[in-house]
Amino acid sequence: MRLLTGNDLKTGAVIWWTGRGWSIHVEDAADVGEHGEAILSAEDGARRVNGGYLIDAVDTAKGPRPAHIKDRIRARGPTVRPDLTLKPADPVAGNWVI
């Protein structure tokens, strides 16, 4: 099974090709098979997706599941936590920006 994924041009959200358009839910993704490159070329040319690429996946009872861990993490949504961002340099604490 092959899926087409990328990022939405307006929001940057991870999106998945459904066979008729794009969805933010990997469960809606459709197997593009050997047509993936042609679909990607058309969607990229129409400026509907940014950074689109094909991935391998397996079909499960809950829908498609990306085969690679990186793509499974992308499918789960944003992983940036504001509480884990780097703090500004604090000379007193010995944190220096180089």
Side-chain angles (χ1 to χ4, degrees):
M1 171 175 232
R2 302 277 287 162
L3 303 179
L4 187 56
T5 186
N7 294 92
D8 182 72
L9 286 171
K10 293 179 184 174
T11 66
V14 174
I15 53 178
W16 304 88
W17 179 250
T18 67
R20 290 180 293 219
W22 294 92
S23 173
I24 61 171
H25 304 287
V26 69
E27 297 85 11
D28 298 336
D31 183 6
V32 296
E34 62 188 45
H35 305 289
E37 292 292 339
I39 296 167
L40 180 57
S41 179
E43 291 297 303
D44 201 27
R47 309 279 301 157
R48 287 189 279 262
V49 64
N50 182 39
Y53 62 99
L54 291 165
I55 65 167
D56 292 318
V58 294
D59 197 14
T60 71
K62 295 181 181 180
R65 180 177 186 255
H68 193 278
I69 186 68
K70 173 188 74 136
D71 297 311
R72 287 196 299 269
I73 292 169
R74 285 184 78 246
R76 293 190 61 89
T79 58
V80 177
R81 288 182 45 191
D83 60 321
L84 294 179
T85 59
L86 295 175
K87 310 258 186 294
D90 180 0
V92 176
N95 296 336
W96 297 94
V97 176
I98 297 176

